[in-house]
Amino acid sequence: MSTDTTEVRISNHEAENRYVATLDGSPVGTAAYERSGESITFTHTVVDQDVEGRGIGSTLIRYALDDARRQHLAVVPRCEFVAAFIQEHPDYQDLTV
């Protein structure tokens, strides 16, 4: 599953346990996770400093959370960025355990 948001493309690299954001074909951000049963724990999110402030991190996490919802997974937001995103977007709060 992947999506385009302007020139940003997000995809799930399941073998590497991370979602990857690419901009014009180059990786610019990742959201690392651990899967366990019916839950997904987001452990770390990184966006390249050169593209910070362009909404790439939010686009990345929104995609990852939508994917978790589609898979009926409970979300454990150990990553501070993911936790803050969920707190600021109440429509994702029902995913947390």
Side-chain angles (χ1 to χ4, degrees):
M1 183 174 185
S2 63
T3 189
D4 286 302
T5 304
T6 61
E7 66 274 2
V8 177
R9 183 168 175 84
I10 311 295
S11 56
N12 184 2
H13 294 222
E14 291 182 41
E16 299 166 359
N17 290 328
R18 63 186 182 148
Y19 289 88
V20 177
T22 56
L23 182 63
D24 298 327
S26 298
V28 293
T30 61
Y33 64 84
E34 298 170 358
R35 282 284 306 265
S36 178
E38 296 300 314
S39 69
I40 185 168
T41 301
F42 289 97
T43 58
H44 192 61
T45 302
V46 177
V47 173
D48 290 354
Q49 194 171 9
D50 294 342
V51 296
E52 282 183 358
R54 294 176 60 182
I56 292 171
S58 293
T59 300
L60 175 62
I61 297 309
R62 182 175 284 110
Y63 177 90
L65 293 174
D66 287 344
D67 195 35
R69 184 184 307 280
R70 184 184 62 76
Q71 296 180 60
H72 306 287
L73 298 174
V75 172
V76 180
R78 276 199 350 226
C79 167
E80 290 178 17
F81 185 82
V82 175
F85 184 91
I86 291 171
Q87 185 172 358
E88 294 171 11
H89 298 86
D91 48 319
Y92 290 106
Q93 291 176 0
D94 64 304
L95 294 174
T96 61
V97 292

